[in-house]
Amino acid sequence: MSALEIKHLLGLRGVSANDIRAILDEAAGFRKVLERKVKTLPTLRGTTVVNLFFESSTRTRISFELAEKRLSADIVNFATSGSSVQKGETLLDTLKNIEAMKIDVVVVRHKGTGVPKFLSEHTDAVIVNAGDGAHEHPTQALLDIFTIENSLGNLSGKTVTIVGDIKHSRVARSNAWGLNALGAKVRFCGPPTLMPRNPKMLPVEIFCDVGKAVDGADAVIALRLQKERMDDSLLPSIREYRNFYGITRQTLEHAKKNVLIMHPGPINRGVELDSDIADGENSVILEQVTNGVAVRMSVLYLLSAGRAGE
Ligand code: CP
C-alpha cells in the first residue's frame, strides 16, 4: 500500500489535493525536527538515493542532499562533468548502469522537458523531479505552498501573483497546478514575450500590468529572468524590464499590507526584485529555503514508504 497515490513525483499537474496535503502535513513534522539540536532521523536507513544533476543548481541540490542526510539515506552524487555522459553515453544507459548498483530513489534535474517521466518509464526506482527544462519543479512549488500556508494559513481563496519570466519558468507551472489544487487563485504577470504560448491551458489569470496583478495579492513570487534559456529578442532591455516588472516599494502599494514576498532564487537584485524588498520585513525568501529541506524530507519519505511494500 503506497503512502501516496503517486509513485513518482514528476510534476504537480494531476497530483491530487490529498497527496499534496499529505506531503505538506508530513513536512510540518520534519520542519520541527530541523529546529532540534539533533536533526537526524533513521527513517531512510538502508535506502540509497542518487542525485542526478545534469544542470547547475545550488539550492535544490544542497537541499535534497541535506534532506537525504537528515533521513540517514545512503547518497551518491552524480555530476555530468567527469561522467561517461561526456563520452557520449545515453541518459538511459547511464540510468540502467546506476540502477544495476541497486539504488532506490533517483532525484533528477535536466534541461530536457519530460526527462523524469522518461526515466520513470524505464526503471523500478522512485523518480523525483528536481526541475526539467521549462516544464515543472514540483518540490519548489511544494515548499512555496508550505511557506505561504505557514504564514497565512489555509490557501483557499488566497491570491498568489507570480511575476516575471513565466515562459521559461518550471516554478510558475508547478505553482499554478499545486496552488490551484488547494483552492488558491493564481495570477501570472509578465511581458507578453515572456508568457507561455498557451497560458489558457493553465489554471491562472493573466495580467500585463504589474500594479493590477499585485492588487489585493496575499503573496507575490518574483521569478528570475532565465537569460540562459532566452533568445535576446525576447527581452531587448533589462532596464526596461525592471521599470515595468521589477518588484519595488511602488509596485507593492496596492498589495495587501502583509503580502509575502517570495523568490525561488537565485535573485538578480535590482532587476526582478529590489534589495530593500528582498531583505524587507515581508520577505520569506530564506524561510522558503529552510522549508525546502523539510518538504524534500517529506517527499522522499512518503515515496520510499510506498516502495517498501513492493
Ligand atoms: N530554486 C532553484 O531551483 O534554485 P537552484 O537552481 O539553485 O537549484
Side-chain angles (χ1 to χ4, degrees), residues 63-139:
S63 180
F64 265 111
E65 200 175 324
L66 255 183
E68 293 150 11
K69 285 188 169 148
R70 300 289 187 227
L71 293 173
S72 306
D74 296 320
I75 306 167
V76 183
N77 287 316
F78 168 96
T80 324
S81 104
S83 77
S84 293
V85 171
Q86 285 192 323
K87 298 177 191 159
E89 184 170 71
T90 66
L91 180 63
L92 195 51
D93 278 338
T94 300
L95 178 73
K96 287 288 176 196
N97 277 276
I98 292 172
E99 193 183 25
M101 298 179 214
K102 308 289 175 208
I103 47 105
D104 302 293
V105 181
V106 176
V107 176
V108 61
R109 168 171 287 198
H110 199 284
K111 69 174 191 295
T113 290
V115 162
K117 182 167 185 339
F118 172 75
L119 295 183
S120 74
E121 287 162 357
H122 293 91
T123 177
D124 291 330
V126 169
I127 302 290
V128 181
N129 182 0
D132 62 328
H135 178 229
E136 286 229 32
H137 191 348
T139 56

Side-chain angles (χ1 to χ4, degrees), residues 218-280:
D218 296 283
V220 173
I221 303 177
L223 298 173
R224 182 174 71 84
L225 283 177
Q226 300 197 33
K227 293 292 279 179
E228 73 277 16
R229 297 187 211 278
M230 209 182 282
D231 178 330
D232 276 354
S233 64
L234 292 178
L235 194 70
S237 157
I238 297 279
R239 188 144 55 112
E240 196 165 274
Y241 175 85
R242 192 252 177 222
N243 288 343
F244 282 95
Y245 295 99
I247 303 298
T248 64
R249 289 228 169 263
Q250 200 184 352
T251 317
L252 294 173
E253 266 169 14
H254 296 291
K256 287 194 174 153
K257 197 172 169 317
N258 63 342
V259 62
L260 299 181
I261 302 299
M262 305 173 69
H263 194 298
I267 304 172
N268 291 310
R269 287 174 180 267
V271 180
E272 59 253 7
L273 202 53
D274 274 3
S275 273
D276 63 329
I277 303 296
D279 304 326

Side-chain angles (χ1 to χ4, degrees), residues 18-173:
N18 280 347
D19 270 5
I20 294 175
R21 181 54 55 208
I23 293 168
L24 299 173
D25 287 350
E26 202 66 52
F30 287 129
R31 184 66 185 78
K32 288 192 187 121
V33 173
L34 294 179
E35 295 302 325
R36 297 196 324 214
K37 193 162 183 285
V38 178
K39 299 175 176 59
T40 310
L41 299 169
T43 319
L44 290 190
R45 192 164 285 156
T47 298
T48 306
V49 184
V50 179
N51 297 311
L52 275 183
F53 278 72
F54 292 91
E55 252 194 349
S56 59
S57 168
T58 302
R59 276 146 292 270
T60 310
R61 189 175 52 77
I62 293 173
S63 180
F64 265 111
E65 200 175 324
L66 255 183
E68 293 150 11
K69 285 188 169 148
R70 300 289 187 227
L71 293 173
S72 306
D74 296 320
I75 306 167
V76 183
N77 287 316
F78 168 96
T80 324
S81 104
S83 77
S84 293
V85 171
Q86 285 192 323
K87 298 177 191 159
E89 184 170 71
T90 66
L91 180 63
L92 195 51
D93 278 338
T94 300
L95 178 73
K96 287 288 176 196
N97 277 276
I98 292 172
E99 193 183 25
M101 298 179 214
K102 308 289 175 208
I103 47 105
D104 302 293
V105 181
V106 176
V107 176
V108 61
R109 168 171 287 198
H110 199 284
K111 69 174 191 295
T113 290
V115 162
K117 182 167 185 339
F118 172 75
L119 295 183
S120 74
E121 287 162 357
H122 293 91
T123 177
D124 291 330
V126 169
I127 302 290
V128 181
N129 182 0
D132 62 328
H135 178 229
E136 286 229 32
H137 191 348
T139 56
Q140 177 68 47
L142 288 166
L143 75 87
D144 292 342
I145 291 169
F146 183 92
T147 304
I148 298 171
E149 284 201 340
N150 238 9
S151 293
L152 303 180
N154 196 289
L155 274 173
S156 182
K158 299 277 188 319
T159 298
V160 179
T161 299
I162 304 179
V163 183
D165 180 2
I166 311 274
K167 184 183 179 74
H168 300 102
S169 179
R170 50 200 179 202
V171 176
R173 282 171 186 73

